[in-house]
Each structure stands twice: as structure tokens, then as C-alpha cells.
Amino acid sequence: MNISSAISKGSKILERNLIPNSQLDSEILMAQTINKDRKYILLNLEKKINKENLNNFEKLIKKRSNKKPIAYLTNKKYFWNSEFYVTEDTLIPRPDTELIVKNVLSLTKQKSK
């Protein structure tokens, strides 16, 4: 099976389980599986995927289908221009928190030390 077919299959499974952004999630999980970035995935859709990687990808898709967050599956989350290592023992940084940080910084910028 090639990368494109696996991603498509994974995306359909996620979609059936009402996972938003199923295509993107499937691409991210494929990138995680083969230890490449999404750019590589998108540029090498016809490349074959070996059986072991396909099995690992399917396991990740199953976990995502059960609503497990992508950040816990990939162990990383970007926040405020930095990448953080996350596990199930940590809270996942949210976009709302970035907005709060941005607003606090703009308020404190105007004040002296």
C-alpha cells in the first residue's frame, strides 16, 4: 500500500467516527509513523509503506478514532512558537491560552518594571 492509500483509508475511518479534520489528522499520524514531516508525506504520496509502519499507522488511527488527542499520539504540541513534549500526564496547551499570553504581554509592555 502507498502513503496516499493509507492516508485516505485512515481519513475515512476518522470521518466515520466523527473526528474533525480527519484528512489532516491522518496525514499527521502518517508523518509520525514514518518519522517524517507533513511536507515529505505530501510530496511522496506514491511511496510504498512497509507492513510494520502500516500496522503502527492503523493503531494510531484506531486511538484517534476513540477521540485520543493528536498531541498525545505524537507527543508534541506547538505553543507560542515553541514545540513542547506532551504526554497523557500533561495538559495540552490550547489556542485560547496563546491569546491570553499575547494580551498579557501587550498590557505589560506598556508598564515599567
Side-chain angles (χ1 to χ4, degrees):
M1 179 177 290
N2 65 22
I3 290 173
S4 178
S5 299
I7 288 173
S8 180
K9 182 180 172 186
S11 178
K12 287 176 186 166
I13 292 168
L14 296 177
E15 196 174 311
R16 279 195 305 269
N17 286 282
L18 306 175
I19 302 296
N21 304 312
S22 59
Q23 178 71 25
L24 175 62
D25 286 3
S26 189
E27 291 170 5
I28 290 170
L29 294 176
M30 176 58 72
Q32 175 71 19
T33 299
I34 64 172
N35 201 27
K36 301 284 186 186
D37 61 13
R38 261 187 78 228
K39 288 179 242 172
Y40 176 89
I41 299 299
L42 298 174
L43 293 171
N44 293 280
L45 291 172
E46 297 307 315
K47 198 161 202 150
K48 298 285 183 199
I49 181 170
N50 68 42
K51 201 70 154 163
E52 182 182 348
N53 283 340
L54 184 59
N55 289 337
N56 290 334
F57 174 71
E58 289 170 349
K59 287 176 188 175
L60 289 174
I61 290 292
K62 184 174 182 179
K63 288 177 183 179
R64 183 66 186 119
S65 294
N66 291 322
K67 310 286 194 266
K68 190 166 187 175
I70 285 283
Y72 290 151
L73 297 173
T74 62
N75 294 114
K76 57 185 157 189
K77 180 69 177 174
Y78 289 92
F79 178 79
W80 203 252
N81 299 323
S82 297
E83 182 181 303
F84 289 88
Y85 178 81
V86 295
T87 68
E88 292 185 37
D89 297 325
T90 57
L91 295 173
I92 300 171
R94 303 286 181 207
D96 294 349
T97 310
E98 284 189 353
L99 183 61
I100 292 169
V101 169
K102 182 178 177 183
N103 288 334
V104 168
L105 287 175
S106 73
L107 287 172
T108 57
K109 184 194 269 186
Q110 300 166 3
K111 298 185 182 217
S112 65
K113 292 183 181 182

